Structure formats: structure tokens, C-alpha cells
Amino acid sequence: AASARVNVLASAPDTVAMLAVGAAGVGKSTWSARHALDRCDGQPTCWAEAKHLRLDSPDPLSTQLVQAAYGVPDIARVPELSELLRRERLRVLMVVDGIDEVRDFERLMLALREHRTSALGPYTILLLTCREEALAALEDHLAAWRPELLNAKDDGRGGTRISLGPLHDHEVEEFLQGEGATAEQTRLVLAALPAHLSGIPLFLLQALELVRKGEEIDPDRAIQSYADF
């Protein structure tokens, strides 16, 4: 459902930015990276961790896009890339993963604003990801910049917040297969994990690692780990 919602929003000409929110461990990074990869055949895409952006440099988002396009972080090539996108009538989907992990969030907000007014701004759709537990501390900043990021309703008012929940049954199997799990390993993982943890990628990966090592999965320990997490 989340990927379908992104596809709809990314195809809308007036979409500037989207915010995908999910609980810790739900797999925001994995989901966003896979979504970017799935779209790259039909749309230019770029995936970057927010904490690794060079926020002390001019227009770090545009620099990251140039790096992805040309292999060098040369800010002087922004007009060249902008002209290419304009000529081809394309917009880049840029994923900025883990905005809550940035130490200086105000500096990140400045970078987002700067990029929007840059030559690449009109040709970029931003997909930001954030932990649900951290969102309250960031809401005022986000609302002042793009209030639609906090509106999850598809009610005609331009809401672009997307909720990420646990994986469904078929998604769990696809996820494990994507991690190289055999049918037998998948069966063992699903048989061992408690139902409320079986859709959370973090615990699926941990359980798969134990299965591969031939170790037993302790459901009680997994539940306690989830509570501590």
C-alpha cells in the first residue's frame, strides 16, 4: 500500500515532497531503497542517508544528485543536469532516508529549502523517511516548510504523509526471498517468530541469521528484545 501511494504521488505534477513514517525496526531504509530501485527503470532515482549528507557545503542535495548522475560531486554541473532533466521532461525521485538521525535538523531544513529554490528543485521529488517515535520533535519544522507532509489523508488537500506498517504475509515471503532465504529457511523463520514480530524486517533478518547458523530462535527473547528496542 505504501509503495502504491508513493507511485501515485510521484506521478502527480504538483508533488514536491513526501514523508514516509514508520516505527523503529519496520524497515524504512530497506523499503525506501527497494522502492527507489524498482522505479529506476522508468524514472531517475537517487537514495541517500540524511546523516551522510554534507550539510556544511552549499546545496548538499543538488551535489548528491550530481554525484549520482555523473560520479563526481561537482556543484558546477547542476545547470547541466537541470537542462538534461528539462529537455527530457523528467523529475528525479530523491530519497533522503532517516531525517531524524541528523544531528543538526535545522541545517537539514535549510538544505531542503535551498534545494527547492535551486536549478534542480523543480525537477526533484523528495521522499523523506522518519521514525514515528521521533516525528513529534520535528513536526514544527516540517509544518513550517511543507505542511502537506503531516497530512496522511488523501482528501484532495495534498496530503503526502505515508504510513509504513508491518509487512503482510506475501510481503514477508518476498522480503525473505529477497534476502536469499530458501523456502525451508522462510518456513522456519515464520514458524519461530511471534505473530506480532513476523512482519517487522529487523526481526526477520535477525531470525534468518539464526536459522542460517543452525541456532534456535527463542520467541521470549525476541519479544523482550522488541520491548527494549
Side-chain angles (χ1 to χ4, degrees):
S3 293
R5 178 78 174 130
V6 171
N7 287 335
V8 171
L9 290 170
S11 299
D14 57 346
T15 298
V16 172
M18 300 170 277
L19 176 66
V21 180
V26 82
K28 297 175 294 298
S29 297
T30 301
W31 169 81
S32 63
R34 288 187 174 181
H35 185 82
L37 185 61
D38 289 343
R39 288 192 66 89
C40 68
D41 285 340
Q43 178 182 22
T45 61
C46 176
W47 187 93
E49 289 184 276
K51 63 184 179 182
H52 290 155
L53 291 173
R54 298 183 60 182
L55 298 177
D56 57 345
S57 62
D59 197 357
L61 273 71
S62 290
T63 302
Q64 186 71 35
L65 289 176
V66 170
Q67 168 79 47
Y70 300 119
V72 289
D74 184 359
I75 194 70
R77 300 191 71 173
V78 165
E80 178 185 349
L81 180 56
S82 174
E83 173 58 22
L84 174 64
L85 294 170
R86 184 200 66 79
R87 187 171 65 247
E88 298 297 327
R89 298 182 180 181
L90 293 171
R91 289 199 296 170
V92 178
L93 175 65
M94 182 175 191
V95 179
V96 181
D97 184 53
I99 62 171
D100 54 289
E101 297 179 18
V102 173
R103 292 184 179 180
D104 190 341
F105 192 73
E106 290 187 3
R107 189 180 287 270
L108 175 62
M109 293 306 303
L110 287 173
L112 292 171
R113 293 175 185 273
E114 181 182 18
H115 179 71
R116 182 58 188 163
T117 59
S118 73
L120 287 175
Y123 305 106
T124 307
I125 306 169
L126 293 170
L127 173 57
L128 316 176
T129 74
C130 178
R131 283 186 304 120
E132 188 173 21
E133 298 84 350
L135 183 58
L138 311 180
E139 284 184 340
D140 288 346
H141 294 282
L142 293 171
W145 178 53
R146 309 292 314 182
E148 69 269 21
L149 292 174
L150 302 178
N151 179 13
K153 296 181 180 179
D154 184 13
D155 56 5
R157 293 185 296 174
T160 60
R161 175 175 168 175
I162 299 157
S163 296
L164 298 176
L167 301 175
H168 298 296
D169 291 345
H170 71 282
E171 293 173 325
V172 169
E173 294 182 5
E174 290 176 357
F175 175 81
L176 289 171
Q177 289 170 5
E179 295 297 324
T182 65
E184 178 62 13
Q185 289 171 340
T186 297
R187 185 190 68 79
L188 290 172
V189 167
L190 296 180
L193 277 180
H196 68 288
L197 300 184
S198 64
I200 300 178
L202 174 68
F203 290 93
L204 289 169
L205 290 174
Q206 291 178 346
L208 179 58
E209 183 178 356
L210 291 175
V211 166
R212 284 171 169 163
K213 292 179 179 179
E215 299 180 17
E216 184 177 349
I217 301 171
D218 183 350
D220 292 333
R221 184 178 178 184
I223 292 172
Q224 183 59 47
S225 296
Y226 181 66
D228 294 341
F229 189 71

